Amino acid sequence: MIDPFTAGRMIANRGELKRRAVNFRRGQELRLTPELRGKIEQVIVNSQSEFEAAAVQALGNMRDAWNSAAFNQVGRANYYEWIRDLALEMKGQGGLFNYPLLTLYADVLKQLTEGLGEPSPRLHRIIGLNIDAIGVVITNRLSGPGGVLERKVAEALRDAHAHFRLGNGPAGNVARRVASAVRQLDGEAQNVGGMQEVLPPLSDTARQWPRSVRLPLN
């Protein structure tokens, strides 16, 4: 037996919700006309441009925060937290705008800086190299999944996270491998005479960044 109070709350299906959902009487044109297609494409182009401009600005903020973390022991964790937040935002938007490499590198950067307070100098430089890699993607507009060099960078950064943050990754030359992979991604020659690979020093991290910017703690 149906409770009379329940019955009073039941809604008969007369197709009214369906008609209202599609604006049955005064509906919009659903056919994709050339004019409508052009408007949609323009919105996509504008959104892509806005995303790329925002990514450039976020990259600059990352670099400033990284520089400031190196010189400000008090509040250092706040700078890494800021980098982490920027990386999280990049990770979420990269795939949407066909920048899966940006999503990939930003995800590792987020993990490297998660809850970070007092990293070793080596880990700090690796974080700078991670930002370097993001900078290459943004500056050169590297859309798509990338190739061997891009995967090599991702693998090296993952190994660095496993070793420095989780304590269970390979110990041998992981920092130098990150430096080598990022420098190759950046287009820097890594071989002498086509024979021997030259691993760049970690001190060369962020070599092209402005070093005069120091962010306040607040």
Side-chain angles (χ1 to χ4, degrees):
M1 180 177 179
I2 299 178
D3 178 57
F5 294 100
T6 302
R9 292 192 296 268
M10 294 177 65
I11 300 175
N13 180 10
R14 304 187 186 91
E16 293 178 1
L17 295 180
K18 180 179 179 181
R19 285 195 294 271
R20 291 177 182 177
V22 298
N23 199 359
F24 183 75
R25 292 183 178 179
R26 298 185 302 277
Q28 298 295 324
E29 175 62 62
L30 297 181
R31 289 176 297 179
L32 192 59
T33 63
E35 181 182 3
L36 182 58
R37 182 190 298 273
K39 291 180 179 179
I40 293 174
E41 290 177 350
Q42 188 60 48
V43 169
I44 294 174
V45 169
N46 292 342
S47 299
Q48 183 82 16
S49 299
E50 291 174 1
F51 163 73
E52 291 173 352
V56 170
Q57 182 176 1
L59 174 64
N61 290 336
M62 281 183 177
R63 288 172 166 172
D64 291 344
W66 184 87
N67 277 320
S68 297
F71 291 93
N72 294 278
Q73 185 174 6
V74 177
R76 181 171 290 164
N78 293 335
Y79 293 117
Y80 290 122
E81 183 180 6
W82 189 18
I83 294 173
R84 180 259 180 201
D85 291 345
L86 290 168
L88 179 62
E89 186 175 357
M90 279 190 176
K91 173 189 173 184
Q93 295 184 0
L96 181 64
F97 291 97
N98 195 32
Y99 280 90
L101 287 174
L102 192 58
T103 293
L104 184 62
Y105 297 160
D107 182 47
V108 182
L109 181 60
K110 175 185 118 14
Q111 296 177 55
L112 285 174
T113 53
E114 188 91 52
L116 188 61
E118 287 294 331
S120 66
R122 193 172 292 265
L123 176 55
H124 178 73
R125 293 189 182 107
I126 286 175
I127 291 171
L129 286 164
N130 199 154
I131 298 173
D132 273 343
I134 289 174
V136 172
V137 174
I138 293 174
T139 302
N140 297 329
R141 296 186 177 182
L142 299 180
S143 60
V148 175
L149 287 179
E150 289 77 11
R151 288 192 296 270
K152 186 176 180 180
V153 170
E155 291 169 1
L157 288 172
R158 288 195 190 103
D159 288 345
H161 171 256
H163 175 64
F164 287 99
R165 295 307 311 271
L166 303 180
N168 57 6
N173 269 340
V174 60
R176 299 296 293 276
R177 286 195 294 108
V178 173
S180 177
V182 173
R183 293 295 174 253
Q184 290 181 57
L185 180 66
D186 200 13
E188 183 173 309
Q190 295 293 307
N191 294 286
V192 176
M195 297 293 294
Q196 184 177 2
E197 183 180 19
V198 178
L199 296 176
L202 285 180
S203 59
D204 203 26
T205 301
R207 64 198 184 283
Q208 298 176 356
W209 298 6
R211 297 183 178 277
S212 59
V213 178
R214 300 287 179 267
L215 299 179
L217 292 178
N218 296 320

